[in-house]
Amino acid sequence: MSYGSTFTAWRDATPAWPAYTRHAFVKGLGDGSLPREAFLHYLKQDYVFLIHFSRAWALAVTKADTVDEMRLAAGTVNGLINEEIALHIKTCAEAGIDETTLFATEELQANLAYTRYVLDAGHSGDLLDLLAALAPCVLGYGEIGTHLASKQTSDTYADWIGTYAGPDYQKVCHDVGALIDGAIARRLGDDPMSSPRWATLQARFATATRLEVGFWDMGLDP
């Protein structure tokens, strides 16, 4: 998938990326072999994750330097709260799990590690640090959704796949990719890879990717 030149460079330099986007959990979504219990366990944890993730994107609004950056960050918060979280609420409600129960879900260690890492990146760094930590989730799910939509052999998790492969989420991915490219160019210039900061940002992206792998591992163990 092409979500901008910065994302492509970070992704291609991250050894753990295939372990994330081709994880056994992901394969189970595509062929329908993922146990329902594991899927609901993942959704409950991901609901809590998205609450913190929305806060991190809201933090991006305060870290932005331009109105365009603020607008794109705010639009992503809206998509998370009003669209992505809504899918979790709907799916869990069909299984008899209401939103109050979702919100009260005990946050497991893999979830704590990931969400606090992203929030710390934003609080201790600038917008680039925050975007590098946020990018694997937003753009990785876009890549996963598109891949599964073209390869899936089961309709068991078609709603989940359709959400991330659909035009609304794909637009979010392209907008976020453009936000990252613009923020990088604005702060690091026309040759960002020559900047001393590039390696640090790449490392943030790689760490967040490894934490995504840990999140899938957690999902497989309800």
Side-chain angles (χ1 to χ4, degrees), residues 24-201:
F25 192 101
V26 174
K27 293 177 180 177
L29 290 168
D31 63 19
S33 63
L34 182 70
R36 191 68 174 176
E37 181 185 8
F39 182 61
L40 292 174
H41 166 64
Y42 152 78
L43 283 183
K44 289 166 67 178
Q45 287 297 316
D46 202 44
Y47 174 90
V48 178
F49 173 87
L50 289 173
I51 297 296
H52 294 296
F53 207 59
S54 298
R55 290 172 176 149
W57 272 103
L59 178 60
V61 176
T62 71
K63 295 282 183 173
D65 287 344
T66 71
V67 173
D68 282 343
E69 288 178 348
M70 294 175 69
R71 186 178 294 115
L72 284 168
T76 304
V77 174
N78 179 66
L80 288 167
I81 293 175
N82 293 318
E83 295 173 20
E84 194 170 354
I85 287 178
L87 171 67
H88 292 55
I89 294 170
K90 173 179 177 291
T91 304
C92 288
E94 291 169 353
I97 303 169
D98 61 24
E99 188 173 8
T100 300
T101 303
L102 280 178
F103 193 79
T105 297
E106 180 183 358
E107 195 172 5
L108 297 184
Q109 184 173 346
N111 204 346
L112 280 162
Y114 192 3
T115 57
R116 298 328 185 264
Y117 175 77
V118 173
L119 285 166
D120 179 69
H123 284 295
S124 64
D126 64 4
L127 182 65
L128 297 186
D129 291 293
L130 180 55
L131 291 176
L134 288 166
C137 182
V138 178
L139 304 181
Y141 270 52
E143 185 175 300
I144 288 168
T146 300
H147 174 74
L148 289 181
S150 67
K151 301 290 185 181
Q152 71 182 93
T153 57
S154 168
D155 290 332
T156 302
Y157 298 108
D159 286 348
W160 189 96
I161 294 169
T163 293
Y164 296 104
D168 289 344
Y169 191 81
Q170 289 299 313
K171 183 179 186 306
V172 169
C173 290
H174 287 289
D175 287 347
V176 169
L179 168 63
I180 294 171
D181 279 348
I184 287 284
R186 189 171 295 109
R187 292 162 178 81
L188 303 186
D190 295 333
D191 186 18
M193 291 186 185
S194 67
S195 167
R197 290 205 60 195
W198 183 264
T200 301
L201 295 172

